[in-house]
Amino acid sequence: MKTTTTATKPAGPDFASSSLPRHLVRGLIGFGGAIASVALLPTVGPVSLLLLPVGALALRGCPMCWAIGLMQTISRGRLERTCENGQCTLSVADRAPEERPAVPVPR
């Protein structure tokens, strides 16, 4: 019986940021740029559309990519994949006592 335990790493694209505040700032810039490009169109004209690529770049493509990255950022390091006899399961990773939250988290 062979058992392996690894931290989960996405097989596909990784849209996560290094920290949650950084990811939220990216969302603010991305959504702000997209909204401003449309909202400023009547006053500034077509020049405001230059904000649209800035928003798309900050969101790493689209709003759904940003939302997927938010979920990846939140769950990073909290899940653990265990494979045994060709059967893999996903569970909550054990953390060191100093990393555990002070208030118990319901499972």
Side-chain angles (χ1 to χ4, degrees):
M1 173 179 358
K2 183 179 181 183
T3 303
T4 58
T5 302
T6 59
T8 56
K9 184 175 180 184
D14 186 15
F15 295 108
S17 295
S18 59
S19 70
L20 185 59
R22 180 174 287 179
H23 196 80
L24 294 175
V25 167
R26 272 192 34 240
L28 183 67
I29 293 169
F31 287 112
I35 292 168
S37 70
V38 175
L40 293 174
L41 196 58
T43 58
V44 180
V47 176
S48 69
L49 294 177
L50 294 174
L51 291 173
L52 198 55
V54 172
L57 185 65
L59 293 176
R60 292 189 185 166
C62 64
M64 184 56 96
C65 299
W66 181 85
I68 291 170
L70 179 62
M71 296 305 143
Q72 288 177 342
T73 302
I74 291 172
S75 69
R76 179 160 285 167
R78 295 183 181 176
L79 299 176
E80 181 177 80
R81 182 175 49 210
T82 305
C83 295
E84 188 173 324
N85 295 331
Q87 186 82 5
C88 295
T89 58
L90 193 62
S91 61
V92 177
D94 288 329
R95 293 187 258 170
E98 61 272 0
E99 294 177 359
R100 291 187 182 140
V103 178
V105 177
R107 292 184 189 225

